[in-house]
Amino acid sequence: MSLTRILRLGLWFFDEPNHSTQRVGWRSIVTVVKPTHQSAKVKKARIKKLLIANRGEIACRVMRTARRLDIHSVAVYSDADKRAMHVNMADSAYNIGPPPSRESYLCADKILAVAHDSGADAIHPGYGFLSENAEFAEQCQKEGVIFIGPPASAIRDMGIKSTSKAIMSAAGVPVIEGYHGDEQSETRLAEEADKIGFPIMIKAVRGGGGKGMRIAMTREEFLFALGSARREALKAFGDDAVLLERYVRSPRHVEVQVFGDQYGDCVYLFERDCSVQRRHQKVIEEAPAPGVSPELRRQLGVAAVRAAQAVGYVGAGTVEFILDPHDLSFHFMEMNTRLQVEHPVTEMITGTDLVEWQIKVASGERLPVRQEQLSPQGHSFEARVYAESPDANFMPGAGPLLHLSPPTTEPSVRIETGVQQGDEVSVHYDPMIAKLVVWGSDRQAALDKLRTKLAEYQVVGLDTNLEFLRRLTLEPEFIEGRVHTGFIEEHTETLLGERPVPQSAVVQAVLGIVLHDKAQALAQAAESKDPFNPFNTLTGFRVNGQLTRQIRLLHRQQEYEVQVVYEADSYTVTVKGVGTVQVSGQLDSSGYLTTQQDRQGRSRCKIVMQDAYTLHVFTLEGAYKFVLPQYDGSGAREGGVSDSLVASPMPGVIDKVVVCPGDKVKAGDPLVVVIAMKMEHVIKSPKDGIIERILYQAGESVSKNVPLIQWQE
């Protein structure tokens, strides 16, 4: 007589500021699973203590599920992360060395030593670092520690892209044309590139996250792009081998979430569209993919399961495909043998906790559902909030989070982060601040919610991509779901072009300054010996006449000249060349400004004074940074180029100096290679000239806008 068991799968979300969890009752799925006989080869083991071999938001994400399952969490951290959120959140934490990843998070021996010292039963690698390191997975098995991931053989087969292509081809999964051979000489690779034809994609065979990836548009660009890809791959993955692929113009990047257990069962949890990318890294992901029919969804899923079963896959994995937007044909690109950054959108549309599945499958349990019991519900978006400068080719940044106010959460909104106000985004690691994840009953509802929550996000202290993300959600073709991997480049003008600042934002900024100064004057007067003197207590008080004040503001390259006339209970604000308004307002202690303008009604915004000269205005229509022009830093503009100097456009570490004193260079020639946030950035010459001095050498750390090279006069 057969038995049945009921498994209710619910989503759990994390309230980041309070480090608390809550059960979501808005959606769940109920499945009936008939148990089958357990394989004799599978050993069940209860995981009581879990080491998370990672940092940041993914470490916090795993810990939330571990806490809900009553599993003790163990954190590891570098010297740079000793005060990090994931360290404070863990039940116990261990230092594993200096900030560079190769001396800490990539040191398998150190992490296994912590596993033994702490008594951890299992290690969850997160993503990045050691998550796709077959040798580490093998070492865990040898030392009796459960590795929460696929078998080492699957990591090896799929982690080496050349091997995975051959396996997929043999398994009947469509594969794109390219060179995946072991011969790695420059001569052979150049010959193969000529055979395939340009433009061509160069990829690190052990790559991921856009690292070790370059596009060579012509034969002349190939060798430099090859060298750059190899250097970056060696630093990120310890292997500089590459493969070559025909570069498909304007494809869609569609990936399928698969999950296998130790009994040979495997399911797909539908597809995600990750086409919107910059520097080959994803910016916004969504599930399900727009415009994918139920039949195409099934074909993608079946191909992904076939790919997973071809290597005996266990656990969470993602099979990535290139999808032709015209004929909807698809080709295997690669398989990520780990949890993906964008896994929350899959959780949102399936009502699952994939980390819980990972832990239970690694413990020897069966998959909780069968394929026929799964169906996508609603729509979900994930937007990655980065410390970067979209206007400067998405240059990554680092620095303090002086003010950090994420949007309010609710059951259909998740904020996944590993930082909080007062923390610093480190030059040593990925510059992602958070992931904003939303769910809606359909794509339009989810997109509206994403746009609203992006407008609520406030960050001060470093540049972010928040305004860029908001513009993306307003782009008509994105709204219609017509996306591809070249979408950002195709829409650069509308996504990154200069936009005029509305008069209301200028007025709010000026009123914020006036009311801030008034509050300071009142506070100083209260502490003075003569607190009732009206000249001390009331900013703008005059016996005869009205105070008129001139304020100049700079927003990017646009300067605004503003005149403010102090009235009895309001202000007359004139923006030169724009117009005059009568406005009153109140600035509360938390920085929220409520204004009443003639003809425009009441509005509310957040005012943040970064320092005495820099003001941020956060509105639902956008965020604006104003600078009082009498203080414009050192005078150096971002990008760091002057007549006599070339400066670093970002904080980082000098990896390579390409030129020497006395060299003649032309505009566009590479000068210096800087490593920042695990990515290689080539600083090129802005003009023709002769090098006089090299101010920094390989291995030295540099700050943003620090001069690196001096020209001859």
Side-chain angles (χ1 to χ4, degrees):
M1 176 175 161
S2 64
L3 300 176
T4 60
R5 56 189 174 117
I6 307 291
L7 174 63
R8 176 176 294 273
L9 298 173
L11 280 174
W12 290 71
F13 292 101
F14 177 63
D15 182 1
E16 218 43 86
N18 298 318
H19 290 180
S20 63
T21 56
Q22 57 180 334
R23 179 177 293 277
V24 172
W26 61 288
R27 187 174 79 256
S28 62
I29 58 175
V30 179
T31 61
V32 180
V33 181
K34 295 181 180 179
T36 57
H37 294 293
Q38 178 180 332
S39 169
K41 296 181 180 179
V42 178
K43 293 182 179 179
K44 287 195 172 184
R46 184 184 172 195
I47 296 174
K48 299 178 182 178
K49 186 174 286 191
L50 177 63
L51 186 152
I52 298 91
N54 217 297
R55 64 178 300 279
E57 60 87 16
I58 184 56
C60 296
R61 164 70 185 89
V62 175
M63 288 175 192
R64 293 196 292 274
T65 292
R67 177 181 294 171
R68 181 168 59 81
L69 298 176
D70 293 325
I71 296 173
H72 181 105
S73 61
V74 180
V76 291
Y77 64 94
S78 71
D79 294 341
D81 281 340
K82 58 185 177 181
R83 295 183 181 87
M85 181 185 288
H86 78 278
V87 176
N88 294 327
M89 188 176 172
D91 295 308
S92 56
Y94 294 76
N95 182 282
I96 52 172
S101 300
R102 291 196 161 278
E103 300 177 51
S104 51
Y105 295 106
L106 285 172
C107 291
D109 291 341
K110 289 183 178 181
I111 289 171
L112 276 165
V114 171
H116 293 309
D117 291 345
S118 65
D121 308 297
I123 292 176
H124 194 301
Y127 43 70
F129 295 136
L130 295 170
S131 63
E132 294 180 284
N133 187 303
E135 292 76 17
F136 179 62
E138 284 180 336
Q139 197 173 349
C140 288
Q141 184 180 13
K142 288 178 182 176
E143 299 193 22
V145 179
I146 297 171
F147 177 78
I148 298 187
S153 58
I155 297 176
R156 187 172 287 110
D157 289 343
M158 289 304 209
I160 302 175
K161 290 183 173 61
S162 54
T163 303
S164 69
K165 303 280 185 178
I167 294 172
M168 293 304 99
S169 182
V173 179
V175 176
I176 198 164
E177 175 189 2
Y179 173 71
H180 316 128
D182 294 330
E183 173 56 53
Q184 290 285 307
S185 68
E186 283 189 354
T187 301
R188 177 62 184 276
L189 291 171
E191 290 173 353
E192 294 294 339
D194 287 333
K195 290 179 186 177
I196 298 167
F198 292 90
I200 202 163
M201 179 78 79
I202 305 168
K203 290 183 178 180
V205 297
R206 294 180 180 267
K211 299 174 183 65
M213 184 184 296
R214 296 291 185 274
I215 297 172
M217 301 303 293
T218 64
R219 179 71 171 81
E220 290 70 31
E221 295 178 9
F222 179 74
L223 289 181
F224 184 79
L226 174 64
S228 181
R230 279 179 151 171
R231 287 191 299 273
E232 192 170 271
L234 186 62
K235 289 177 175 60
F237 313 111
D239 189 339
D240 67 353
V242 299
L243 59 82
L244 308 178
E245 285 181 352
R246 177 173 58 87
Y247 178 59
V248 180
R249 296 179 184 270
S250 303
R252 287 178 63 181
H253 179 146
V254 176
E255 61 188 32
V256 178
Q257 178 72 61
V258 294
F259 219 108
D261 64 18
Q262 299 183 53
Y263 302 84
D265 295 326
C266 188
V267 297
Y268 62 89
L269 288 90
F270 314 108
E271 80 289 348
R272 304 182 284 251
D273 194 300
C274 307
S275 300
V276 181
Q277 306 176 2
R278 86 282 183 268
R279 296 200 317 268
H280 313 300
Q281 286 188 306
K282 303 161 189 174
V283 177
I284 285 185
E285 303 95 351
E286 59 181 299
V292 171
S293 67
E295 177 56 24
L296 179 55
R297 178 167 296 123
R298 187 193 67 80
Q299 291 174 9
L300 285 163
V302 168
V305 168
R306 188 183 300 135
Q309 290 179 327
V311 292
Y313 200 82
V314 174
T318 302
V319 183
E320 301 191 352
F321 295 100
I322 289 176
L323 178 68
D324 190 312
H326 305 293
D327 62 11
L328 298 182
S329 62
F330 59 88
H331 296 84
F332 173 84
M333 185 165 51
E334 63 184 7
M335 182 175 186
N336 292 297
T337 54
R338 52 174 167 79
L339 200 65
Q340 287 281 87
V341 177
E342 57 273 19
H343 75 273
V345 294
T346 294
E347 294 181 325
M348 287 291 224
I349 65 165
T350 57
T352 57
D353 181 337
L354 295 182
V355 174
E356 179 178 354
W357 281 30
Q358 285 186 299
I359 293 171
K360 290 186 174 181
V361 164
S363 301
E365 295 190 27
R366 289 185 175 276
L367 287 175
V369 296
R370 295 177 181 174
Q371 191 63 59
E372 60 269 20
Q373 297 168 321
L374 288 165
S375 63
Q377 303 294 322
H379 203 93
S380 181
F381 283 96
E382 174 182 288
R384 304 190 189 188
V385 180
Y386 280 101
E388 64 182 13
S389 301
D391 293 339
N393 195 28
F394 298 94
M395 199 70 70
L401 292 163
L402 302 176
H403 171 76
L404 176 61
S405 178
T408 56
T409 58
E410 55 186 89
S412 59
V413 177
R414 294 167 68 169
I415 305 292
E416 304 242 336
T417 186
V419 294
Q420 53 198 346
Q421 184 168 299
D423 288 351
E424 185 159 326
V425 177
S426 171
V427 69
H428 298 286
Y429 311 114
D430 189 90
M432 188 165 66
I433 295 171
K435 300 183 305 193
L436 170 60
V437 189
V438 302
W439 181 91
S441 57
D442 55 35
R443 189 174 187 271
Q444 188 59 54
L447 186 56
D448 290 344
K449 188 172 295 183
L450 177 64
R451 190 179 299 126
T452 298
K453 293 302 176 180
L454 283 170
E456 292 180 12
Y457 225 122
Q458 301 171 10
V459 180
V460 171
L462 35 68
D463 291 339
T464 74
N465 64 338
L466 280 166
E467 175 61 18
F468 167 77
L469 290 170
R470 195 185 69 85
R471 289 192 188 186
L472 239 175
T473 65
L474 294 167
E475 186 65 37
E477 290 195 19
F478 182 82
I479 292 172
E480 295 172 11
R482 297 204 304 268
V483 295
H484 54 83
T485 56
F487 187 88
I488 291 175
E489 289 82 0
E490 188 177 282
H491 297 85
T492 296
E493 185 174 343
T494 54
L495 292 176
L496 298 173
E498 189 69 34
R499 291 188 181 183
V501 178
Q503 180 186 12
S504 59
V506 178
V507 172
Q508 287 169 326
V510 168
L511 193 59
I513 292 171
V514 168
L515 294 177
H516 177 267
D517 290 349
K518 181 177 180 179
Q520 283 195 323
L522 289 169
Q524 291 170 1
E527 296 176 0
S528 72
K529 296 180 180 179
D530 189 10
F532 299 106
N533 185 333
F535 295 97
N536 287 338
T537 57
L538 296 177
T539 299
F541 177 83
R542 292 293 183 273
V543 175
N544 296 304
Q546 297 169 307
L547 171 64
T548 299
R549 183 176 176 185
Q550 304 294 330
I551 298 177
R552 294 169 60 233
L553 293 175
L554 190 69
H555 181 271
R556 297 180 182 266
Q557 305 302 318
Q558 180 65 46
E559 187 170 303
Y560 297 90
E561 295 184 22
V562 185
Q563 176 182 279
V564 183
V565 178
Y566 289 59
E567 310 285 354
D569 55 0
S570 65
Y571 304 87
T572 301
V573 180
T574 302
V575 182
K576 185 177 180 180
V578 179
T580 300
V581 296
Q582 194 76 18
V583 61
S584 60
Q586 290 184 327
L587 184 67
D588 67 22
S589 58
S590 61
Y592 280 96
L593 171 67
T594 303
T595 60
Q596 181 74 42
Q597 290 188 35
D598 55 353
R599 299 186 301 276
Q600 290 195 17
R602 186 180 296 272
S603 63
R604 193 166 186 260
C605 67
K606 172 79 171 184
I607 302 290
V608 178
M609 300 293 296
Q610 180 174 339
D611 51 44
Y613 311 99
T614 311
L615 175 83
H616 295 259
V617 179
F618 294 98
T619 75
L620 292 180
E621 291 72 39
Y624 308 95
K625 177 182 178 181
F626 294 96
V627 176
L628 275 67
Q630 59 261 37
Y631 177 81
D632 194 16
S634 62
R637 296 296 179 191
E638 293 216 349
V641 177
S642 69
D643 290 338
S644 61
L645 296 168
V646 174
S648 178
M650 78 208 84
V653 177
I654 302 296
D655 183 65
K656 184 178 182 180
V657 179
V658 183
V659 293
C660 297
D663 285 356
K664 294 182 179 180
V665 297
K666 295 183 178 180
D669 286 351
L671 303 176
V672 179
V673 178
V674 177
I675 298 292
M677 281 77 174
K678 302 189 291 184
M679 297 289 286
E680 179 180 276
H681 303 272
V682 180
I683 299 174
K684 297 181 179 181
S685 176
K687 64 178 184 179
D688 296 352
I690 300 175
I691 306 298
E692 179 172 312
R693 294 176 61 204
I694 308 295
L695 304 176
Y696 283 85
Q697 300 299 325
E700 292 187 278
S701 296
V702 295
S703 301
K704 183 176 180 178
N705 285 334
V706 166
L708 304 178
I709 287 178
Q710 184 173 344
W711 301 107
Q712 270 190 18
E713 294 296 335

